Amino acid sequence: MTITVLIVDDQAMVREGFGALLAAQDDIDVVGSAADGAEAVDAVWRKHPDVVLMDVRMPVLDGLEATRRIMRAPGDRHPRVIMLTTFDLDDYVYDALRAGASGFLLKDAPAADLVHAVRVVAAGDALLAPRITRTLIADFARRPDPNRPRPEKLRVLTPRETEVLKLIAAGRSNGEIAETLVLAEQTVKTHVGRILMKLDLRDRAQAVVIAYETGLVQPGS
């Protein structure tokens, strides 16, 4: 299966560099690029990419608001969004999780990390491997949210599903979860699917947010 990608960044060199790298992969097709969030929203409607690489800070419309608009669009086929950021983290990044981002990637990450990120997110997983993401999620969870989900929300999960959710929140892959719980990896995939369905979540990134916000997992644990 070919993964279609849209690259959004206000720096032409970044768009061109990322585009050339991804286009060189047999399973990835760069279907377009955009220089700001407004262009990105329009391009998503026209191109219907599987994955959007979205810069956080841009003129006209920032990456956060662009992500919100993309996720609010009619229909049930929304792209996965990877936020491109730097070490200078700000509220945009934390809010991006709530807006619907599926992961984060540092702009100066190795080329192999960029390709891996696109494949991981396109497959429906959250991009939790980079060291920065766990810190982001922990800090994000400490921030007060007036719409904080009540713990009762998790009562629909079985004890095993709750265990799996905790491990998802710890950034574990399906294979690592299977090893920890002594289960077949396919069984873990089934549990993950049921968790997402029961909690009405789009992907693992949202599952991580729910785990922290409900207090199932404590920051730093």
Side-chain angles (χ1 to χ4, degrees):
M1 183 185 72
T2 299
I3 303 167
T4 55
V5 178
L6 176 73
I7 301 172
V8 185
D9 196 289
D10 60 342
Q11 298 181 45
M13 290 183 63
V14 173
R15 297 195 304 272
E16 293 170 4
F18 283 4
L21 173 63
L22 294 174
Q25 310 303 312
D26 293 337
D27 60 338
I28 297 176
D29 181 19
V30 178
V31 295
S33 64
D36 60 59
E39 288 185 11
V41 174
D42 179 65
V44 166
W45 290 341
R46 290 186 292 104
K47 303 287 188 177
H48 304 290
D50 299 314
V51 176
V52 177
L53 293 177
M54 180 80 74
D55 188 20
V56 173
R57 294 177 176 175
M58 293 181 293
V60 184
L61 192 69
D62 62 53
L64 173 60
E65 183 58 28
T67 299
R68 283 176 177 152
R69 295 186 186 185
I70 289 170
M71 294 305 172
R72 287 200 302 257
D76 56 3
R77 187 180 180 276
H78 298 111
R80 308 286 182 178
V81 176
I82 300 175
M83 303 302 297
L84 298 172
T85 185
T86 65
F87 283 109
D88 182 22
L89 304 176
D90 51 37
D91 287 344
Y92 283 126
V93 180
Y94 302 100
D95 289 343
L97 282 170
R98 292 193 180 99
S102 293
F104 301 92
L105 188 69
L106 293 173
K107 281 190 176 182
D108 60 356
D113 285 1
L114 173 62
V115 175
H116 174 71
V118 169
R119 289 172 177 155
V120 166
V121 171
D125 288 339
L127 186 62
L128 301 177
R131 65 186 182 278
I132 192 171
T133 306
R134 294 184 188 181
T135 302
L136 280 172
I137 292 172
D139 288 344
F140 160 80
R142 294 189 183 97
R143 294 167 178 256
D145 178 8
N147 298 314
R148 182 184 179 92
R150 293 180 297 177
E152 294 82 46
K153 184 179 181 72
L154 302 184
R155 290 182 179 175
V156 297
L157 302 181
T158 66
R160 178 62 86 187
E161 289 166 351
T162 301
E163 285 182 298
V164 171
L165 178 56
K166 287 180 180 179
L167 292 172
I168 291 174
R172 305 285 183 85
S173 67
N174 284 349
E176 291 170 334
I177 294 173
E179 183 177 349
T180 299
L181 299 180
V182 193
L183 297 171
E185 188 167 345
Q186 184 57 49
T187 301
V188 173
K189 290 181 180 179
T190 299
H191 284 313
V192 173
R194 287 175 178 167
I195 290 168
L196 299 181
M197 180 187 65
K198 287 182 177 181
L199 299 180
D200 192 25
L201 304 175
R202 188 185 62 258
D203 58 25
R204 294 168 78 107
Q206 290 191 329
V208 171
V209 173
I210 287 292
Y212 277 106
E213 288 192 330
T214 57
L216 178 66
V217 177
Q218 296 299 317
S221 62

